[in-house]
Amino acid sequence: MDQTAEPLVTACGRRIDVGQLKVDGPAARIGRVTLDVGPETGGTSRIWAGLSPAEARELAQRLLDQAARTENESSSRAGRGVVEVAPAGPRSWAATARGRHLFTAGRGTGEPSPVEQLVASAATCAAERAARFLQGQGLPHDTVRVTAHFEELDDQPARITALRLVLALPPGLDPQRYPALREALTRCAVTNTLRHPPNVTVDLR
């Protein structure tokens, strides 16, 4: 049995070894991926498993999916943020967040409108989530493209009535991974806000 790397030592002291086991069978050599989970510090429990290559890949995918979900839940604490908007010219404004500036303008100025920037935020959030997912799959993630199609209603109340995001993914992504990718996209705070509108108040001072 061959070990493929140094063992992983967990916070509780368990050593996890991943290796290969090759057995000569009657017709062909049989290969297995081995997983040896040692006891915790001061403990005696031990687990050993031999997995086929397909089973090992499926286990790896499940571990990645659960790691992403756990990270998302761990960082889901409610946070407070402040964005300030001030005039930056005729019919244009500068939004400041964490010391960074974002410029926007009203209709007819040739610059992206606040509505278009809202759509851009949703598309950018989807692109970022997709890129993180692809990176976890070991696939190229710097070529993700998102096109956002939207419909806007000028009547009262003025609003976006439809939004469709089209993702252009790099080749090589197994279609069986699409459900997991869609799950990753559900963690986008912008699209979640559109699906679950926040409580909006306006104070006049």
Side-chain angles (χ1 to χ4, degrees):
M1 185 172 63
D2 298 328
Q3 300 298 330
T4 60
E6 290 295 321
L8 169 68
V9 180
T10 68
C12 65
R14 289 184 183 272
R15 292 169 56 93
I16 302 177
D17 287 293
V18 179
Q20 294 181 356
L21 176 64
K22 298 177 182 178
V23 179
D24 291 326
R29 171 170 287 188
I30 301 174
R32 287 290 183 268
V33 178
T34 61
L35 184 66
D36 186 1
V37 182
E40 70 278 12
T41 302
T44 58
S45 63
R46 192 182 190 93
I47 299 174
W48 187 93
L51 309 173
S52 69
E55 292 169 340
R57 291 191 184 94
E58 180 62 26
L59 175 60
Q61 181 57 50
R62 294 190 183 190
L63 288 171
L64 287 171
D65 291 344
Q66 290 300 324
R69 180 172 298 181
T70 300
E71 286 178 342
N72 181 65
E73 292 174 352
S74 298
S75 61
S76 62
R77 301 189 305 257
R80 296 180 179 272
V82 175
V83 176
E84 295 183 344
V85 177
R91 299 184 62 191
S92 64
W93 293 266
T96 303
R98 295 178 288 107
R100 302 282 182 166
H101 303 294
L102 175 67
F103 294 94
T104 186
R107 289 186 176 181
T109 62
E111 299 297 329
S113 69
V115 171
E116 289 168 330
Q117 294 209 17
L118 174 61
V119 173
S121 294
T124 302
C125 190
E128 190 270 340
R129 286 293 177 179
R132 288 176 58 179
F133 175 84
L134 293 170
Q135 185 177 20
Q137 301 294 307
L139 293 172
H141 59 279
D142 55 355
T143 60
V144 175
R145 298 289 185 271
V146 179
T147 303
H149 303 268
F150 69 98
E151 297 178 10
E152 184 179 359
L153 184 66
D154 290 331
D155 198 5
Q156 294 299 323
R159 62 195 185 279
I160 294 174
T161 58
L163 175 62
R164 181 167 65 95
L165 303 178
V166 181
L167 276 70
L169 302 173
L173 179 62
D174 188 344
Q176 292 185 350
R177 300 267 69 89
Y178 284 6
L181 173 57
R182 291 185 181 278
E183 167 66 21
L185 293 174
T186 64
R187 300 169 193 152
C188 171
V190 179
T191 53
N192 284 339
T193 299
L194 295 175
R195 293 189 180 99
H196 308 282
N199 180 32
V200 179
T201 61
V202 178
D203 297 332
L204 303 177
R205 297 180 181 178

